[in-house]
């Protein structure tokens, strides 16, 4: 189906915000989410933009001299930019699960990127081989999750905001269950009134394109240069459907700049950063379109706009000015992401926050902004960071940050100290060298990588100089924190109260 035909078909479809699957308010209410007594502020509109594999160092406002991102940079000029902000995982599915629930992904059972259900036979065989080799520790590829999609008992931001009367929409990549085969994982069963997007990543084919519950295309295939444009148009259409009587929450999750890379004709071969740069600059254009729509509708002042990524960059992209590592790694470059928040009525323009926080904090922060209490029957790992955004708070609300590599707790950060119990160093000649892997055991006497590792991020943000041998007592302290946390997760993996 060509782009023009698809746009006409999308526009012709009515989106019923009273869809029978939009039962998020009742589920969230049963979990104890309710309006805060005495809250009399006007609930803000919310636009949450979650890019796919965008590096912290890709936008110009983070020091990139190559790519042109004037609209993202303008967001930073008009709001708050974080310099020390983490995803909760260096991989797509677990990071997105944590973002939408406020909980570490280990609690949801979604620790590794989900695979599509209707895969071709050769693809299935390669995944099975990858899992077998990973279990042997020969490589680090496909792992298994405990579940095949976001569990119904989890509460998303969309479901929680329904308690406050929000209209909710999702555009783009879901990656929390292949709802083309298993409808229980459809976003409209998890609090969203409206949907335009795909269940999977753009490299996981077949990948269907949906408008609400209607499948528009069985597989988007490699006809992907249109995706960013279509997603932005749908996002703008959702905002334009706003009424003054009801606040809205838009979760905009572009497929870009995840591999494979495709840019539309208008942007192809236009950047100084190759095809990756073309894709990022088109993404920046999309941010500009969304902001212009908010301005045209007179919604700029009391709309929270959040711009971030799900994890660090993959094969291309900039992980940050000083960061070691990339997507899939527990080093800073895998977890650190761009984070910009604009809310003119509350956030000082041009502010910079250098205090560490994590994407699990988005859930409690948005609930607080909407005047809602947190659920009372589960652990919410995230913290309300409104104080960091307004400048009223000058310390992180977290005692510890936990760094998972799929199911393995590899490290923790306390203050400026970051500690790894075991981690593959990803360097020549043995990249996957954790001591519990086949190659790690085979070469552990060759004086290559050593463990544990301890870094002071205040003096060494690039994690270049291991201080473990100099501060053994600090390593013991961090190791105890990891043991205690792992025991808590083992005893109560879901964090139910």
């Amino acid at each position: 189906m060509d782009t023009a035909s698809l746009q006409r078909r999308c526009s012709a479809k009515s989106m019923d915000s009273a869809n029978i699957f939009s039962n998020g308010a009742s589920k969230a209410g049963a979990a104890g989410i309710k309006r805060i007594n005495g809250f009399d502020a006007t609930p803000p509109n919310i636009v949450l933009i979650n890019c796919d594999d965008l590096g912290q160092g890709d936008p110009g406002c983070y020091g990139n001299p190559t790519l042109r991102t004037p609209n993202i940079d303008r967001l930073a000029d008009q709001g708050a930019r974080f310099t020390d902000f983490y995803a909760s995982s260096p991989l797509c599915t677990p990071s997105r699960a944590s973002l939408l629930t406020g909980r570490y992904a280990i609690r949801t059972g979604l620790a590794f990127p989900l695979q599509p259900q209707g895969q071709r036979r050769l693809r299935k065989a390669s995944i099975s081989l990858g899992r077998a080799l990973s279990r042997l520790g020969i490589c680090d590829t496909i792992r298994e999750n405990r579940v095949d999609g976001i569990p119904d008992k989890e509460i998303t931001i969309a479901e929680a905001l329904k308690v406050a009367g929000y209209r909710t929409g999702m555009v783009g990549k879901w990656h929390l269950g292949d709802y083309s085969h298993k409808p229980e994982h459809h976003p409209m069963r998890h609090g969203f009134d409206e949907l335009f997007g795909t269940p999977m990543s753009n490299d996981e084919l077949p990948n269907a394109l949906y408008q609400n519950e209607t499948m528009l295309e069985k597989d988007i295939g490699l006809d992907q240069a249109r995706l960013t444009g279509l997603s932005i148009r749908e996002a703008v259409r959702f905002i334009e459907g706003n009424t003054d009587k009801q606040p809205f929450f838009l979760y905009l999750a572009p497929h870009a700049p995840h591999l494979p890379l495709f840019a539309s004709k208008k942007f192809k071969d236009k950047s100084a950063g190759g095809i990756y740069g073309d894709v990022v600059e088109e993404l920046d254009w999309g941010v500009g379109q969304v902001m212009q729509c908010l301005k045209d509708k007179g919604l700029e002042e009391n709309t929270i706009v959040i711009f971030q990524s799900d994890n660090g960059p993959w094969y291309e992209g900039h992980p940050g000015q000083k960061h070691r590592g990339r997507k899939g790694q527990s080093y800073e470059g895998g977890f650190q992401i761009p984070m910009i928040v604009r809310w003119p009525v509350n956030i000082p323009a041009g502010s910079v926050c250098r205090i560490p926080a994590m994407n699990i904090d988005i859930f409690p922060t948005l609930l607080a902004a909407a005047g809602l209490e947190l659920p009372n029957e589960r652990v919410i790992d995230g913290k309300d960071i409104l104080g960091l955004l307004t400048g009223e708070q000058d310390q992180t609300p977290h005692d510890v940050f936990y760094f998972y590599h799929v199911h393995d707790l590899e490290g923790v950060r306390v203050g400026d100290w970051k500690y790894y119990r075991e981690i593959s160093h990803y360097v020549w000649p043995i990249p996957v060298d954790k001591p519990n892997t086949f190659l790690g055991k085979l070469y552990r006497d060759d004086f290559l990588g050593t463990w544990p590792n301890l870094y002071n991020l205040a003096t060494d943000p690039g994690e270049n100089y291991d201080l473990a041998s100099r501060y053994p007592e600090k390593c013991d302290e961090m190791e105890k924190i990891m043991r205690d946390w792992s025991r808590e997760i083992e005893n109560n993996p879901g964090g139910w109260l």
Side-chain angles (χ1 to χ4, degrees), residues 272-287:
I275 182 62
Y276 183 92
D278 298 342
V279 170
V280 171
E281 292 188 2
E282 184 166 10
L283 183 63
D284 177 80
W285 162 84
V287 172

Side-chain angles (χ1 to χ4, degrees), residues 151-182:
D152 183 63
K153 59 188 175 183
E154 295 296 336
I155 295 175
T156 67
I157 294 173
E159 288 172 313
L161 291 177
K162 299 295 288 181
V163 175
Y166 274 71
R167 170 177 167 248
T168 58
M170 192 259 164
V171 175
K173 166 185 167 179
W174 179 236
H175 216 183
L176 295 177
D178 188 352
Y179 51 81
S180 66
H181 286 76
K182 297 197 173 183

Side-chain angles (χ1 to χ4, degrees), residues 425-475:
H425 292 96
Y426 301 100
V427 295
W428 181 89
I430 313 296
V432 183
D433 64 344
K434 287 173 68 170
N436 64 345
T437 66
F438 174 78
L439 293 176
K441 293 175 182 176
L442 187 64
Y443 289 95
R444 64 182 174 183
D445 294 327
D446 282 0
F447 305 102
L448 298 175
T450 61
W451 303 270
N453 307 130
L454 180 70
Y455 301 100
N456 188 322
L457 297 179
T459 57
D460 179 24
E463 299 171 286
N464 299 304
Y465 307 107
D466 184 10
L467 301 176
S469 61
R470 182 174 295 182
Y471 299 103
E473 71 286 350
K474 177 59 69 173
C475 292

Side-chain angles (χ1 to χ4, degrees), residues 75-76 128 136 160 166 177 182 184 217 239 281 358 370 392 423 440:
L75 267 184
S128 296
L136 291 172
Y166 274 71
K182 297 197 173 183
E184 63 268 26
E217 298 179 12
I239 296 172
E281 292 188 2
M358 188 174 268
E392 298 171 358
I423 186 172

Side-chain angles (χ1 to χ4, degrees), residues 318-397:
H318 200 316
Q321 297 304 311
K322 301 175 181 178
H323 297 146
R324 176 180 182 178
R326 304 180 79 83
K327 175 179 179 175
Q329 302 175 22
S330 294
Y331 292 117
E332 292 287 281
F335 274 79
Q336 285 277 353
I337 57 174
M339 170 64 167
I340 301 168
V341 187
R342 181 188 187 276
W343 189 14
V345 298
N346 281 299
I347 298 175
S351 55
V352 177
C353 181
R354 294 181 172 83
I355 300 168
M358 188 174 268
N359 70 350
I360 52 176
D361 300 330
I362 300 301
F363 181 99
T365 302
L366 292 183
L367 264 63
L372 296 172
E373 295 183 2
L374 293 176
N376 56 20
E377 37 68 86
R378 69 190 63 203
V379 172
I380 297 296
D381 298 302
K383 308 294 182 183
D384 177 5
I385 57 170
L386 278 175
L388 295 183
L389 293 169
T390 61
E392 298 171 358
Q393 187 177 343
D394 61 2
Q395 292 184 341
T396 180

